């Protein structure tokens, strides 16, 4: 029942036109045949409608879920193939895509976002320092540092 992506981006543009900064959340990324085309098109829409300097941040995360929610999802959406990929339990107990797959997806998304803007702040949701380093080239030293980086981007410009 959510609005289509294009409508969401147009709505974000209306906020920008009224003086607000916006954030975008590519979370959860879903791995499916043709995922590259789908996410590339979304980033293309950003390029068409959103000036990079109006973006406070872009967060990226992949599908993760508590193990018991798999049955709930399958019951509610009996035709879904979301849970058919390979998942492993993370340190937090959530099921996640394999690390190499997450890094592959993140690296590609970051590459496309950097083609759009070298300056937009990108961060990962619920990922290890290792994943940050491999896919983004840096990692905050702590949650406090990440919080500070995000707060800096919410200041009025």
């Amino acid at each position: 029942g959510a609005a289509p992506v294009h409508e969401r981006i147009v709505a974000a543009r209306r906020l920008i036109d009224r003086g607000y900064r916006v954030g975008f959340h590519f979370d959860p990324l879903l791995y499916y045949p043709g995922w590259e085309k789908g996410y590339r098109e979304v980033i293309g829409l950003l390029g068409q409608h959103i000036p990079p300097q109006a973006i406070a941040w872009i967060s990226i995360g992949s599908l993760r879920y508590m193990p018991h929610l798999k049955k709930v999802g399958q019951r509610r959406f009996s035709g879904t193939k979301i849970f058919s990929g390979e998942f492993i339990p993370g340190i937090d107990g959530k099921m996640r895509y394999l690390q190499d797959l997450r890094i592959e997806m993140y690296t590609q998304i970051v590459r496309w976002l950097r083609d759009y803007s070298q300056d937009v702040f990108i961060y990962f949701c619920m990922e290890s320092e290792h994943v940050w380093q491999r896919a983004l080239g840096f990692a905050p030293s702590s949650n406090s540092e990440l919080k500070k980086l995000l707060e800096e981007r919410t200041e009025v410009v």
Side-chain angles (χ1 to χ4, degrees), residues 137-151:
F138 88 98
S141 60
S142 65
N143 285 339
S144 298
E145 182 184 357
L146 177 59
K147 181 180 176 187
K148 181 179 180 232
L149 290 168
L150 293 171
E151 286 174 350

Side-chain angles (χ1 to χ4, degrees), residues 27-32 61-71 73-74 80-102 105-106 127:
D27 189 0
L29 291 181
L30 299 176
Y31 183 78
Y32 60 92
S62 65
L63 178 64
R64 57 205 176 273
Y65 58 90
M66 296 305 293
H68 72 277
L69 293 177
K70 179 178 179 177
K71 288 181 183 175
Q74 289 172 321
T80 188
K81 294 181 181 176
I82 286 177
F83 304 107
S84 63
E86 288 187 81
F87 291 90
I88 58 167
I91 294 171
D92 59 2
K94 294 179 182 173
M95 301 302 292
R96 300 170 178 275
Y97 292 128
L98 299 175
Q99 186 178 81
D100 285 346
L101 177 61
R102 295 193 323 266
M105 293 178 75
Y106 294 159
E127 283 295 353

Side-chain angles (χ1 to χ4, degrees), residues 37-153:
K37 181 180 185 296
Y39 288 109
R40 182 70 182 115
E41 288 175 2
V42 172
I43 294 168
L45 288 172
L46 290 181
Q48 292 172 22
H49 298 280
I50 306 296
Q53 64 274 17
I55 297 176
W57 58 68
I58 295 176
S59 68
I60 305 172
S62 65
L63 178 64
R64 57 205 176 273
Y65 58 90
M66 296 305 293
H68 72 277
L69 293 177
K70 179 178 179 177
K71 288 181 183 175
V72 174
Q74 289 172 321
R75 187 174 59 245
R76 289 185 183 171
F77 306 97
S78 59
T80 188
K81 294 181 181 176
I82 286 177
F83 304 107
S84 63
E86 288 187 81
F87 291 90
I88 58 167
I91 294 171
D92 59 2
K94 294 179 182 173
M95 301 302 292
R96 300 170 178 275
Y97 292 128
L98 299 175
Q99 186 178 81
D100 285 346
L101 177 61
R102 295 193 323 266
I103 290 171
E104 174 190 333
M105 293 178 75
Y106 294 159
T107 301
Q108 188 58 60
I109 297 284
V110 167
R111 187 175 301 123
W112 293 326
L113 288 169
R114 289 293 174 236
D115 288 345
Y116 162 65
S117 171
Q118 288 292 312
D119 300 323
V120 69
F121 182 69
I122 300 169
Y123 73 97
F124 294 127
C125 296
M126 299 183 197
E127 283 295 353
S128 69
E129 178 181 348
H130 175 76
V131 171
W132 276 73
Q133 288 290 353
R134 293 249 335 258
L136 201 51
F138 88 98
S141 60
S142 65
N143 285 339
S144 298
E145 182 184 357
L146 177 59
K147 181 180 176 187
K148 181 179 180 232
L149 290 168
L150 293 171
E151 286 174 350
E152 289 171 359
R153 282 150 181 84

